């Protein structure tokens, strides 16, 4: 890594917990034998704010967090293909308001499950290889974006089943795409990152007519004029290894590699020369023992806090809005030793869930501080 | 780091304070260290503050947005479900009636067995029906013609991290010996804060060695870098001060500013971005900044004798000559002409409408103002040429470029047509004004004059035009030179096409004569238009050298000797061709005068001269005849050619092929001999992209395969294998990556390039290998480029899968056929920061 120039140093957080909040394990479940790769609360529909879904192996399970650490099992889905191994899940919502679960994994097929009817809604075949992450556009929750090993990011309309845009080509990723995220307010903007060590910001502004067209498309989805977006508006080389998770924090980007830290940086684009620009690294949130890839962090609804697990089963909860960064809490339990692939933070940050390589789900609840 | 600059004043003061404090000369350096240290701390503190401010600003931005999202989330309701089923939303229903409930352990849990969800809910699990998955592929972009790899896509010199799906580990592989050679040291980039420190220090302490040492401690970089930076800063500072002065002065009319510019600067985009081989801008195949080769093939403009020429307008030099040649007493007639200008204008409007040419706006002084683009071509060119720039310049350059591109196509027709029209109307009208006899009577004189004038085209240099009443701006001069290049000494055409509204025909003619007079010493002997060609040639080198000077930065691909002998195992090759790969063709720059002889680079490289080369012999009648008799003759010529003359013969061959191609090779409609066997002109189909429809589907063997839509005959051309052109060095590196991924789309093209269809290509990249193939691939030389064509080896049915022999280098089997290597590479290259998806056991 190049030396950081004077006056551009990031503010690095201290690993001493602030003790502002305390969390305690209130429940744990064994879902199956296979590793759990994703867990996600439903932030799309306020009726289901306490409902979450997990994926692992060929199954998708829906739970509800109740008072007193109680977890209710609501629904369970299993792919008939035993070789399927889901890597990611995201909540979405159909035009008619039905809650949808969108999951993808090693088979490269996106499964859209209609949780309101407990049946498969649609399956999207098209990705050339496994799917590493799916995210939903909160402003238009029937739009989802998927990141795949086939080096592309694709935008789908779950309502009509159309692949609207493919973000790949001349300026695209040169290895697996591991993570993707919608900008919170700029509906045209997404950020993706992957095994080519870069984070790329894409704009679909010029292609928005196709997005609109996808809602009114009545012909076969395969006949839709899917467009390639070949050039990102910004490419950042913030990391020197796989970048396995990125999220927008307002106009800034939180991303992590395998360097035991989450990095917050500001993309500084040059107005008239797309693709060029520099990244100003603002803050760093250290996460010890977090040097294996495919560990994703998650945030509460308002992005006030981020929770990330590590290789040893510990969780670090960082305050995202403070500067310098404040470690809210460090969660550890003697029996939690397996790598935590992903966490989920509830709407208000009072509950943190973790899903582990050994197939367990842990629930942590905030303890009223004395 | 805006905050740094805004806060710089406070830093300044801190610095000053410190400086005053330690004024003593004795421990000047100690003071320096201290003050720089303090400065550094201050900068860092300010950075922390600025980050905090940024975050705060960002948070505020986001807040309103999230409240909107909450609103959205709470507005969701079931629209149709409740209607349809009467049961309501099943998810909501489940919340009332869950499958099972797992109680929490508020006080922790001991050795209790974990609740197993899978078993508990197995009965209520919903099955997701099987969906057949497709074979894996990497997203690729369709390419109908080969492209040069863009520099930023190179993997050479980059650290590559492999992911081994079996071990779940990643391996960083860098071929150490290769990479070590490349300088790792990056140039130090100075941040604003660092600039500030350097500047302050420099102002106070100068740049002594000791000072530099201290600076390096804080700022980094090397002494020379700091010195250099200091210079830059100094210049910037001066520039800033000058800027302030300038700003006040700056109000000169920008109207004429463009005329001061250089034409070659304006044409830079055109010269550098226009591909003369593909006739497109920004050619992805041949790249930009190609060497400009003035093809000897270029025909000289069609010369119209002055006898036949008719005045192009009232300001035409022909008219002025008429007047000059009139007996002195007849000055009155010129007066008459100007008097009758209005009627002349009428003529012109009439003419313009007749000729369908752009309108000339006309003011009373007789100056043309706005000229609409000559044609669509010109518009196209200029749009690319000048994004900005004044409209006027644009239109001027438009016509210039337009004509340059269209070359002799335009000039023969429309302008002369216009002239004719002018004459037609002009004679009618002028009969009353002008004494026609005068005009015709002086015909002989005109001729003489013409001879006199057509002397020697000098190499035009800066000529003081103080005597000129109308001043010649640099751009006008350049345009004039271009005009001479394109039209010869035809001031009518130059005025009309290159300098409309700027200079009249008469002025140009005068300038032309003046410049000649100024440069030509003697040499007045040659006369007549017969010399025009010669003059044209004599002038051209001058023009060319000017252009050459401009275009210093020719992109040359480095070719590593090391990799040239090394052919990785998995490249697709063409085997039938001798083992030697073809040589990349680069147009030679042989001059038209010098015979393109043994020293011609084309000959030395073993390629042939193409029409893009500097020297192509004029197409003789014999070649044309050969074209008519068919390809057979040419082939014979080619075969029989001996080393010395092979060059020229091949050249004829290619010209012939081109002729044959233009005549419509192959279908027999023009009476050419029927094609025979392999002799069919595959080039033409490739050139015209007359390919078969290829379908992409699941292969019968493995993965994807390419299939035929329609049935074809043996030797039919199926399509082209397109991809990115990459260097052999690059291919070596990529090959190693592809080996690991077990899929390679590399195809050996020639001695310089390998085709890689991994990211970009067409469906034929999915055609599978077979040792008993039904198709074959062939590298074909088409219009100066090597391209890979796939042909049918036998008659094939519609829907049949396409196979061809990849022809891996003998003695090396495809990588996937070999047992996995005992990985010495993996052992040696385990890096410190390697990533693992799974924890190592």
């Amino acid at each position: 890594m190049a030396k950081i120039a004077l006056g551009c140093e990031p503010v690095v957080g201290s690993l001493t917990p602030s003790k502002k909040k305390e969390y305690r394990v209130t429940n744990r479940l064994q879902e199956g034998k296979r590793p759990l790769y994703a867990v996600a609360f439903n932030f799309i529909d306020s009726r289901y704010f306490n409902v979450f879904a997990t994926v692992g192996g060929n199954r998708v399970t829906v739970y509800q967090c109740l008072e007193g650490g109680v977890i209710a099992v609501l629904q369970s889905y299993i792919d008939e293909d035993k070789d399927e191994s889901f890597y990611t899940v995201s909540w979405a919502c159909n035009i008619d308001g039905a809650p949808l679960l969108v999951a993808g994994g090693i088979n490269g097929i996106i499964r859209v499950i209609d949780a309101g009817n407990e049946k498969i809604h649609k399956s999207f075949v098209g990705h050339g290889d496994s799917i590493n992450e799916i995210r939903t556009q909160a402003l238009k929750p029937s739009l989802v974006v998927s990141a795949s090993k086939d080096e592309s990011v694709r935008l789908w309309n779950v309502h009509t089943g159309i692949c609207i845009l493919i973000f790949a080509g001349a300026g695209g990723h040169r290895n697996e795409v591991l993570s993707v995220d919608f900008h919170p307010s700029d509906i045209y903007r997404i950020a993706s990152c992957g095994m080519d060590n870069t984070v790329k910001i894409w704009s679909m502004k010029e292609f928005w007519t196709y997005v609109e067209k996808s809602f009114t498309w009545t012909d076969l989805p395969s006949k839709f004029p899917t467009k390639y977006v070949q050039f990102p508006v910004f490419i950042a080389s913030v990391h020197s290894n796989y970048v396995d998770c990125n999220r927008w924090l307002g106009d800034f980007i939180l991303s992590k590699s395998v360097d035991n830290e989450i990095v917050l940086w500001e993309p500084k684009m040059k107005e008239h020369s797309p693709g060029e620009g520099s990244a100003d690294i603002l803050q760093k949130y250290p996460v010890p023992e977090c040097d294996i890839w495919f560990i994703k962090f998650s945030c509460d609804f308002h992005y006030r806090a981020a929770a990330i697990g590590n290789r040893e089963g510990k969780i670090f909860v960082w305050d995202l809005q403070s500067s310098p960064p404040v470690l809210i809490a460090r969660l550890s339990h003697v029996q939690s030793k397996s790598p935590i692939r992903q966490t989920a933070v509830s709407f208000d940050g009072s509950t943190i869930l973790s899903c582990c390589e050994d197939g367990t789900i842990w629930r942590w609840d905030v303890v009223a501080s004395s | 780091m805006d905050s740094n600059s805004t806060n710089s004043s406070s830093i300044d003061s801190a610095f000053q304070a410190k400086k005053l404090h330690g004024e003593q000369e004795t421990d000047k350096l100690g003071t320096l260290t201290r003050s720089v240290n303090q400065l550094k701390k201050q900068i860092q503190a300010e950075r922390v503050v600025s980050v905090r401010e940024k975050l705060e600003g960002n948070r505020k931005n986001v807040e309103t947005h999230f409240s909107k999202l909450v609103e959205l989330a709470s507005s969701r309701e079931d629209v149709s479900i409740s209607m349809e089923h009467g049961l309501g939303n099943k998810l909501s229903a489940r919340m009332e009636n869950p499958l099972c409930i797992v109680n929490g352990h508020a006080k922790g849990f001991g050795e209790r067995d974990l609740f197993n969800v899978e078993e508990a809910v197995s009965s209520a699990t919903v099955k997701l029906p099987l969906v057949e998955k497709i074979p894996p592929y990497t997203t690729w972009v369709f390419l109908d013609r080969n492209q040069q790899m863009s520099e930023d896509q190179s993997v050479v010199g980059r650290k590559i991290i492999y992911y081994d799906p079996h071990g779940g580990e990643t391996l960083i592989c860098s071929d150490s010996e290769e990479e070590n050679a490349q300088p790792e040291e990056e140039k130090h980039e100075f941040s604003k804060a660092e600039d500030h420190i350097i500047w302050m220090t420099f102002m106070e302490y100068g740049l002594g060695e000791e000072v530099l040492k201290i600076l390096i401690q804080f700022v980094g970089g090397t002494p020379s870098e700091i010195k250099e930076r200091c210079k830059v800063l100094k210049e910037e500072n001066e520039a800033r001060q000058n800027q302030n002065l300038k700003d006040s002065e700056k109000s000169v009319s920008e109207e004429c500013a463009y005329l001061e510019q250089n034409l070659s600067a304006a044409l830079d985009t055109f010269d550098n971005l226009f591909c003369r081989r593909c006739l497109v801008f920004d050619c992805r195949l041949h790249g930009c900044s190609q060497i400009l080769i003035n093809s000897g093939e270029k025909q000289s403009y069609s010369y119209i004798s002055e006898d036949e020429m008719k005045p192009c307008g009232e300001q035409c030099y022909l008219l002025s000559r008429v007047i000059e040649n009139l007996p002195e007493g007849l000055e009155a007639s010129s007066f008459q002409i100007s008097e009758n200008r209005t009627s002349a204008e009428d003529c012109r409007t009439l003419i313009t409408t007749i000729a369908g040419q752009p309108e000339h706006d006309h003011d009373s002084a007789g100056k043309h103002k706005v000229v609409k683009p000559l044609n669509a071509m010109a518009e196209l060119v200029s749009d690319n040429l000048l994004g900005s720039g004044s409209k006027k310049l644009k239109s001027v350059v438009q016509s210039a470029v337009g004509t340059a591109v269209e070359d002799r196509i335009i000039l023969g027709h429309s302008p002369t047509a216009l002239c004719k029209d002018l004459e037609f109307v002009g004679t009618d009208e002028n009969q009353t004004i002008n004494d026609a006899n005068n005009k015709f009577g002086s015909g002989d004189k005109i001729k003489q004059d013409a001879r006199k004038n057509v002397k020697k085209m000098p190499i035009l240099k800066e000529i003081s035009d103080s005597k000129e009443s109308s001043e010649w701006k640099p751009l006008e001069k350049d345009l004039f030179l271009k005009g001479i290049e394109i039209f010869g000494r035809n001031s009518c055409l130059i005025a009309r096409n290159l300098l409309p509204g700027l200079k009249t025909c008469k002025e140009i003619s005068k300038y032309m004569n003046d410049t000649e007079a100024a440069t030509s010493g003697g040499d007045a002997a040659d006369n007549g238009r017969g010399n025009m060609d010669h003059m044209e040639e004599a002038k051209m080198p001058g023009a060319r050298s000017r252009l050459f000077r401009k275009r210093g930065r020719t992109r040359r691909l480095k070719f590593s000797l090391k990799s040239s002998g090394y052919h990785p195992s998995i490249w697709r090759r063409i085997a039938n061709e001798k083992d030697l790969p073809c040589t990349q063709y680069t147009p030679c720059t042989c001059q038209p005068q010098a015979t393109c002889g043994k020293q011609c680079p084309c000959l030395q490289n073993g390629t042939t001269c193409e029409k893009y080369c500097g020297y192509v012999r004029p197409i003789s009648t014999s070649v044309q005849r050969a074209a008519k008799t068919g390809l057979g003759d040419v082939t014979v010529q080619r075969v029989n050619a001996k080393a010395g003359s092979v060059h020229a013969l091949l050249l004829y061959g290619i010209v012939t092929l081109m002729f044959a191609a233009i005549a419509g090779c192959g279908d027999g409609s023009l009476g050419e001999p029927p094609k025979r066997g392999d002799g069919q002109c595959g080039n033409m189909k490739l050139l015209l992209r007359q390919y078969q429809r290829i379908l992409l589907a699941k292969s019968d063997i493995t993965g994807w395969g390419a299939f035929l839509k329609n049935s074809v005959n043996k030797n039919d051309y199926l399509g082209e294998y397109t991809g990115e052109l990459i260097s052999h060095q690059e291919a070596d590196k990529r090959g190693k990556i592809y080996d690991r991924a077990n899929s390679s789309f590399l195809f050996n093209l020639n001695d310089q390039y390998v085709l890689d269809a991994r990211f970009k290509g067409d469906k034929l990249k999915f055609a599978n290998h077979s040792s008993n193939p039904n198709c074959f691939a062939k590298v074909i030389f088409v219009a100066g480029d090597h391209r890979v064509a796939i042909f049918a080896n036998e008659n094939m049915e519609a829907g049949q899968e396409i196979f061809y022999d990849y022809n891996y280098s003998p003695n090396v089997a495809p990588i996937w056929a070999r047992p996995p290597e005992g990985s010495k590479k993996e052992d040696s290259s385990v890096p410190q920061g390697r990533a693992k998806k799974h924890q190592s056991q």
Side-chain angles (χ1 to χ4, degrees), chain A residues 6 8-9 26 44 46 48 71 73 76 78 111 126 151 170 174 184 241 249 266 281 283 292-293 341, chain B residues 1 47 54-55 58 65 73 76 89-90 92 99-100 102 105 126 128-129 137 153 191 758 833 836-837:
Chain A
L6 191 61
C8 305
E9 303 93 340
T26 54
I44 300 297
S46 63
Y48 311 117
I71 295 178
V73 187
S76 168
I78 189 155
R111 295 292 207 160
E151 302 179 6
R174 280 291 168 267
N241 208 324
L249 180 68
E266 179 187 13
I281 299 174
Q283 301 212 104
I292 60 174
W293 68 276
R341 290 300 179 181
Chain B
M1 278 125 286
R47 165 73 177 174
K54 272 187 179 180
L55 274 169
N58 191 41
H65 167 72
R76 314 251 183 250
N89 182 327
K90 280 194 188 166
S92 304
L99 295 174
C100 64
V102 187
H105 327 264
V126 180
L128 304 176
Y137 70 95
Q153 299 297 336
S191 67
R758 178 176 156 91
K836 292 165 270 182
K837 187 163 184 175

Side-chain angles (χ1 to χ4, degrees), chain B residues 71-118:
Chain B
E71 238 170 73
L72 266 176
S74 7
S75 67
R76 314 251 183 250
E77 54 181 5
D78 304 322
V79 181
S80 58
I81 294 167
S82 47
M83 303 295 158
E84 272 177 38
H85 303 279
L87 293 166
N89 182 327
K90 280 194 188 166
L91 184 60
S92 304
R94 281 285 179 213
M95 286 162 76
E96 305 298 321
N97 182 21
L99 295 174
C100 64
I101 286 185
V102 187
N103 284 318
H105 327 264
K107 287 177 184 151
F109 35 81
E111 299 300 307
R112 187 186 78 104
D113 277 341
L114 278 170
F115 180 83
N116 195 318
V117 178
E118 195 178 347

Side-chain angles (χ1 to χ4, degrees), chain A residues 5-162:
Chain A
L6 191 61
C8 305
E9 303 93 340
V11 182
V12 182
S14 154
L15 273 170
T16 320
S18 67
K19 304 251 161 108
K20 253 199 252 170
K21 276 182 181 175
E22 263 187 72
Y23 288 85
R24 197 166 290 163
V25 177
T26 54
N27 205 342
R28 65 168 180 165
L29 306 169
Q30 177 80 45
E31 197 181 282
K33 289 281 177 287
R34 297 170 76 171
L36 294 175
Y37 280 112
V39 56
F41 274 107
N42 186 344
F43 284 164
I44 300 297
D45 189 332
S46 63
R47 292 173 294 171
Y48 311 117
F49 272 168
N50 60 355
V51 173
F52 70 91
T54 61
V55 292
N58 58 344
R59 57 173 60 239
V60 180
T61 318
V62 183
Y63 303 87
Q64 186 182 15
C65 281
L66 297 170
E67 291 292 314
V70 178
I71 295 178
V73 187
L74 301 184
Q75 294 175 345
S76 168
Y77 303 91
I78 189 155
D79 196 308
E80 285 191 339
D81 182 358
K82 281 202 175 61
D83 295 331
E84 175 65 289
S85 171
F86 289 117
Y87 290 151
T88 178
V89 66
S90 181
W91 288 91
C93 181
N94 210 347
I95 298 281
D96 62 14
L100 299 177
L101 271 169
V102 190
I106 200 165
N107 278 352
I109 300 166
I110 296 177
R111 295 292 207 160
V112 184
I113 298 162
D114 185 347
N117 285 315
E118 289 191 0
K119 64 172 191 193
I120 186 84
H121 174 65
K122 279 185 165 77
S123 297
F124 301 154
V125 182
H127 268 301
D129 222 314
S130 43
I131 291 157
N132 288 316
E133 189 158 86
I134 296 171
R135 299 281 293 168
T136 306
Q137 168 59 271
L139 295 165
K140 274 189 189 287
S142 53
L143 294 180
V144 297
V145 71
S146 56
S148 167
K149 186 181 176 178
D150 73 2
E151 302 179 6
S152 73
V153 170
R154 300 186 188 206
L155 178 74
W156 307 83
N157 186 327
V158 292
H159 174 59
T160 47
I162 284 166

Side-chain angles (χ1 to χ4, degrees), chain B residues 279-304:
Chain B
L279 301 182
V280 290
F281 272 99
D282 208 8
C283 176
R284 303 293 299 273
L285 177 56
H286 302 108
C288 55
S289 300
Q290 297 171 20
I291 307 169
L292 181 63
I293 291 155
N294 281 323
S295 173
E297 180 204 32
K298 184 177 157 188
Q299 285 163 10
S300 56
Y301 56 91
S302 56
Y303 180 74
I304 310 157

